[in-house]
Amino acid sequence: MEDKKRLPRHVSIIMDGNGRWAQARGKERVFGHLEGVESVRACLEAAVEDGIEYLSLYAFSEENWNRPQAEVNALMELMMESIRKETANMMENGVRFLVLGNRSRLSEKLNAAIDALTRETSANPRTTLIVFLSYSGKWDIAQAVRKAASELPAEKLQSLEPEDLDKYLVTAGIPDPDLLIRTSGELRISNYLLWQCAYTEFYFTDVLWPDFRKPQFREAIAAYSARDRRYGKVK
Ligand code: FPP
């Protein structure tokens, strides 16, 4: 086991490459998403075993609504099915479940299932699994500003500090990611946690998401543990 001090508290993942994984096998893209759920399960298991407090996953961006309707439906259906299948497993492993994003765009049925699982797992003490659904970083900042503007008096808004905005972001109360992993060789942040990744360590790998399992997850953690974080200071 790694030295606890060097373990990230919060690991976040941009799960990418499902489509390419499927296409390389002559299959429909949705086949890659199905296999991707197995990688979600493996990484969550590793996070629980290794004592990582927060694992967050970029499952669906605001921009992903522009994909073909059939693929959007398949991804939403996969979320429903995963919630149904994984409830018992999360309870057994002490996993707390949260969904963050623009919930108003999700179906009533999916919102109800998310609420039920969130409630049921709310007291679980081990790893918090955060699924970002219908999320984008710019949307998050915009909704935080709207909320702050509607709640705070004008003089407070005039002197607003960055820390004041933190509590209006959907991630309020959750530590910023220490480590952000992106699979499939793409080297960008794609409108993910823009504000929250100010000092996050990035880890990019060519491995496609369906092939990213426990060994690859632990390799990323080990790479993080070897880094020197200075937060803009000198040491
Ligand atoms: C990126 O691959 C993957 C997604 C947009 C969806 C990720 C969703 C899952 C793995 C399943 C549901 C999640 C949970 C938490 C149960 P891509 O389609 O962009 O691949 P490509 O870049 O190769 O086209």
Side-chain angles (χ1 to χ4, degrees):
M1 248 304 264
E2 315 277 344
D3 177 354
K4 188 88 182 168
K5 280 201 310 295
R6 310 284 279 179
L7 265 186
R9 263 188 95 187
H10 181 173
V11 177
S12 195
I13 309 179
I14 300 178
M15 310 179 286
D16 199 6
N18 293 349
R20 277 164 282 166
W21 188 92
Q23 274 156 3
R25 285 158 182 78
K27 308 234 184 180
E28 297 287 328
R29 296 173 53 81
V30 65
F31 187 75
H33 298 318
L34 269 173
E35 201 57 32
V37 174
E38 295 307 313
S39 295
V40 169
R41 187 174 294 124
C43 291
L44 177 59
E45 215 173 275
V48 171
E49 285 168 6
D50 296 355
I52 289 166
E53 284 177 68
Y54 296 87
L55 175 68
S56 60
L57 306 170
Y58 202 9
F60 195 87
S61 70
E62 281 282 79
E63 292 77 14
N64 286 156
W65 289 111
N66 299 321
R67 289 195 176 193
Q69 193 58 44
E71 185 172 345
V72 170
N73 293 346
L75 280 167
M76 293 299 149
E77 196 42 54
L78 210 53
M79 273 311 301
M80 275 301 294
E81 205 180 297
S82 302
I83 288 177
R84 242 189 325 263
K85 280 202 196 142
E86 297 302 322
T87 303
N89 207 5
M90 288 192 200
M91 291 310 292
E92 260 164 53
N93 288 294
V95 173
R96 181 165 77 112
F97 177 77
L98 285 181
V99 167
L100 300 177
N102 188 358
R103 296 273 305 268
S104 70
R105 297 188 78 174
L106 306 181
S107 72
E108 236 174 84
K109 197 173 93 175
L110 182 55
N111 270 321
I114 291 167
D115 285 340
L117 185 56
T118 305
R119 224 176 301 117
E120 196 173 341
T121 61
S122 63
N124 286 350
R126 292 182 80 183
T127 298
T128 297
L129 171 67
I130 304 166
V131 176
F132 283 94
L133 257 192
S134 194
Y135 179 86
S136 86
K138 288 190 178 184
W139 166 83
D140 194 6
I141 295 166
Q143 69 79 35
V145 170
R146 280 196 296 270
K147 245 193 270 167
S150 71
E151 286 182 17
L152 297 174
E155 58 286 13
K156 181 69 191 162
L157 280 174
Q158 291 298 328
S159 58
L160 198 76
E161 295 290 340
E163 309 75 67
D164 299 322
L165 211 58
D166 279 339
K167 46 182 168 297
Y168 293 100
L169 294 165
V170 295
T171 49
I174 294 162
D176 288 343
D178 299 294
L179 171 64
L180 175 68
I181 299 168
R182 182 169 189 154
T183 59
S184 90
E186 308 293 351
L187 307 177
R188 54 179 172 265
I189 194 164
S190 298
N191 206 359
Y192 188 39
L193 297 166
L194 301 178
W195 179 281
Q196 297 88 339
C197 282
Y199 277 102
T200 299
E201 295 289 329
F202 288 9
Y203 179 90
F204 297 104
T205 170
D206 288 338
V207 175
L208 303 176
W209 178 247
D211 291 326
F212 194 88
R213 300 287 163 95
K214 277 189 190 183
Q216 291 76 16
F217 182 82
R218 289 188 166 131
E219 206 176 304
I221 304 293
Y224 168 88
S225 301
R227 294 205 192 159
D228 183 17
R229 297 185 82 190
R230 289 191 298 276
Y231 301 95
K233 301 177 196 139
V234 280
K235 258 197 180 161

